[in-house]
Amino acid sequence: MHDLIAAPLQDQHLILRPGSRRAVKVGSSKFADLCDAVAGGQPVPAWLVDVARRVWGVDASGRPADAAVLVREPGPYELSRATWEINLGCDFDCEHCYLGEKRFEGLDWDGKERLLTVMRDAGVIWLQLTGGEPLIDPQFPAAYRLAHELGMQVELLSNGSQLAKPRMMELLTALPPTKTSLSVYGASAETYDGLTRRRGAFKRFTRGLDAAVAAGLNIDLSLIITNRNAHEADAMRAWADRLGLPYREYANISPTIHGGAETLPSQSPEHLTHRAPFTGCPAGHTFFHADPFGRASICKVGREPNIDLPTEGVAGLARLGSIADSLMLRTGGCSGCQLSSTCRVCRPMAKVFQEAKAPLHSYCQHGMKETAS
Ligand code: SF4
Ligand code: SF4
């Protein structure tokens, strides 16, 4: 496997190290110099030997450039980031889960291989693998490895339940993710198992978290605060602090992607935070989402219309920008709203709340005003 990735990104040129979040920008002449070295079977250029040693502690001196560096081709669009739900199946059944019913289904191996190749050809550099729980997919290890081989920087979004398995940890230490984001659903077995509706879930998570910490993975915790575990919010924060791990808190519960409202009662009312006013989003322009069948949409929320990537290939993504623009128009219940310039949710998110007939105060300024008066 390559030590470094050289990737064009619009008018910039980046050098990346698989598994590291650090990236180095280089000028176009150095990038061209590197491409020549790779094509001509020459050693890694001296300037890159120096950069690799300084930034990542990698010794590339005397190494053939074509073995040490994978040079990525530019994609035809500006889409450099993607998320992929490899499978919606999950070993937990969280009360608040925005995926709602999670069927274990998706592409076969040929389809997964094709999808990852299309993503590479589209110019995706940063790929988030998610689910459901991505690590329970039997083809996760092969897909994870292939994404690395294709020169993508892979981030994992996981519930951590599988991380204590030796084979999983062998894979993730040999090919570290750039980031492993783990969701935390409570600080005690009673609360955690209750929220996830799985006996033993807390034990599996704790073991997985400990294994990931011991392996030195780059971990980021997502503390999920609901009415079930709000009383343990301080304990969850203290747990993260004790481990010295960064964390973010998520307390705003959304309807399901199927427009279902069954998740909303798990909202902890006192933790419903007012988002900052929505000022725009590059969904569909610089990033996209792929579901388990390889259907590409602008993001995880605005799922339709979508593009069948295994069938349509890279060319299909040419439509994504105009799909994104149309989804941002204030239509439906939002058309003509006088408060749209200070709205706190994007239009795709508002639509999901409206379809679920969610209480206005949970997402809309009109409801907030009514509540306040
Ligand atoms: S672990 Fe994540 S995907 Fe699984 S049920 Fe919970 S929220 Fe949903
Ligand atoms: S939900 Fe809205 S803000 Fe979030 S990525 Fe999608 S379009 Fe952007």
Side-chain angles (χ1 to χ4, degrees):
M1 193 83 76
H2 44 273
D3 294 327
L4 301 167
I5 302 162
L9 177 66
Q10 282 102 60
D11 53 354
Q12 298 175 9
H13 300 90
L14 302 180
I15 306 293
L16 306 123
R17 162 92 173 136
S20 167
R21 290 167 78 180
R22 298 184 74 180
V24 175
K25 277 188 208 166
V26 296
S28 49
S29 61
K30 278 190 173 158
F31 196 81
D33 173 44
L34 173 58
C35 291
D36 288 346
V38 168
Q42 296 154 18
V44 174
W47 62 265
L48 185 53
V49 170
D50 179 48
V51 166
R53 186 177 295 126
R54 224 170 357 93
V55 179
W56 297 288
V58 171
D59 182 9
S61 57
R63 294 250 291 137
D66 57 353
V69 185
L70 177 76
V71 178
R72 296 282 312 269
E73 295 293 324
Y77 318 110
E78 294 192 357
L79 297 163
S80 58
R81 293 181 184 272
T83 52
W84 176 28
E85 288 161 345
I86 185 168
N87 200 310
L88 286 191
C90 188
D91 51 343
F92 293 175
D93 184 23
C94 299
E95 295 167 328
H96 65 278
C97 181
Y98 83 119
L99 295 173
E101 188 199 358
K102 292 174 286 296
R103 291 215 192 103
F104 195 96
E105 57 188 9
L107 294 168
D108 61 13
W109 176 247
D110 286 350
K112 288 185 173 83
E113 210 172 7
R114 164 109 177 106
L115 175 65
L116 285 169
T117 307
V118 169
M119 286 180 166
R120 188 271 313 271
D121 294 345
V124 170
I125 301 172
W126 294 277
L127 174 66
Q128 183 195 81
L129 276 180
T130 180
E133 171 46 43
L135 274 58
I136 65 169
D137 191 299
Q139 290 169 341
F140 167 81
Y144 181 80
R145 190 175 286 280
L146 178 59
H148 274 86
E149 286 167 2
L150 294 172
M152 289 185 254
Q153 293 284 62
V154 187
E155 174 189 341
L156 291 180
L157 213 62
S158 166
N159 66 25
S161 65
Q162 308 300 305
L163 286 175
K165 294 190 171 160
R167 273 181 27 201
M168 193 58 73
M169 207 37 83
E170 272 165 34
L171 173 69
L172 299 183
T173 43
L175 291 176
T178 51
K179 188 164 79 165
T180 306
S181 297
L182 300 179
S183 302
V184 186
Y185 299 123
S188 70
E190 185 187 357
T191 301
Y192 195 106
D193 291 4
L195 182 150
T196 57
R197 296 185 278 208
R198 289 289 182 273
R199 274 232 313 263
F202 181 68
K203 197 189 258 181
R204 294 212 298 281
F205 170 70
T206 308
R207 282 186 185 149
L209 176 60
D210 289 345
V213 170
L217 295 189
N218 186 359
I219 303 165
D220 198 290
L221 296 179
S222 302
L223 311 187
I224 312 297
I225 316 285
T226 74
N227 62 357
R228 168 85 70 159
N229 65 15
H231 64 289
E232 293 183 358
D234 280 342
M236 288 195 273
R237 293 177 194 121
W239 191 5
D241 288 338
R242 246 187 348 267
L243 292 171
L245 297 177
Y247 62 87
R248 276 172 289 181
E249 297 182 22
Y250 297 90
N252 288 3
I253 306 301
S254 307
T256 72
I257 57 173
H258 312 292
E262 64 270 26
T263 51
L264 298 179
S266 62
Q267 175 72 53
S268 168
E270 61 273 28
H271 289 87
L272 182 61
T273 52
H274 292 319
R275 303 169 169 95
F278 176 72
T279 54
C281 168
H285 292 283
T286 62
F287 68 87
F288 64 94
H289 175 68
D291 76 2
F293 293 96
R295 292 176 292 221
S297 58
I298 67 162
C299 70
K300 294 174 187 173
V301 175
R303 289 177 180 246
E304 287 180 350
N306 51 50
I307 296 153
D308 187 326
L309 284 187
T311 307
E312 293 196 46
V314 180
L317 288 169
R319 300 203 306 279
L320 204 58
S322 53
I323 290 175
D325 295 344
S326 68
L327 289 181
M328 290 298 169
L329 297 174
R330 297 266 157 194
T331 53
C334 296
S335 51
C337 172
Q338 300 296 311
L339 302 176
S340 63
S341 62
T342 52
C343 184
R344 294 170 191 276
V345 288
C346 66
R347 177 64 195 138
M349 183 63 91
K351 188 164 176 251
V352 170
F353 275 99
Q354 286 159 352
E355 282 174 359
K357 300 191 177 11
L360 268 187
H361 72 265
S362 58
Y363 68 98
C364 171
Q365 290 183 89
H366 292 284
M368 291 164 201
K369 283 169 70 181
E370 282 162 20
T371 309
S373 59

